[in-house]
Amino acid sequence: MVNSVFRAAEILNMLSSGRNRITDICRGLGLSKGTTHRLLKTLGQCGFVFQDPMTHQYYLGHLIIKLS
């Protein structure tokens, strides 16, 4: 198993269930804020997630809709 891929999949699962704050994601994964932030930024660069600039919460991105 590749940990980063597993963690990314878990983040997507959390976002799909409404856990959109980085602190909630950190707690759910048991990761530091820095590691979680890097994973979210990478997912964002790929189009899997985006961050609302006003609330700083994360949401599923356009690529998820395209893939589904």
Side-chain angles (χ1 to χ4, degrees), residues 18-68:
R19 295 169 69 185
N20 304 86
R21 297 180 339 169
I22 193 167
T23 54
D24 295 334
I25 296 168
C26 290
R27 286 186 197 128
L29 291 176
L31 297 174
S32 71
K33 214 175 213 183
T35 299
T36 305
H37 185 260
R38 284 191 299 277
L39 286 165
L40 284 163
K41 286 296 177 191
T42 302
L43 287 168
Q45 291 173 342
C46 297
F48 286 108
V49 303
F50 74 94
Q51 184 181 28
D52 182 310
M54 299 297 284
T55 65
H56 302 288
Q57 292 186 358
Y58 289 88
Y59 299 92
L60 295 175
H62 69 278
L63 190 56
I64 293 296
I65 295 167
K66 183 178 177 181
L67 292 173
S68 66

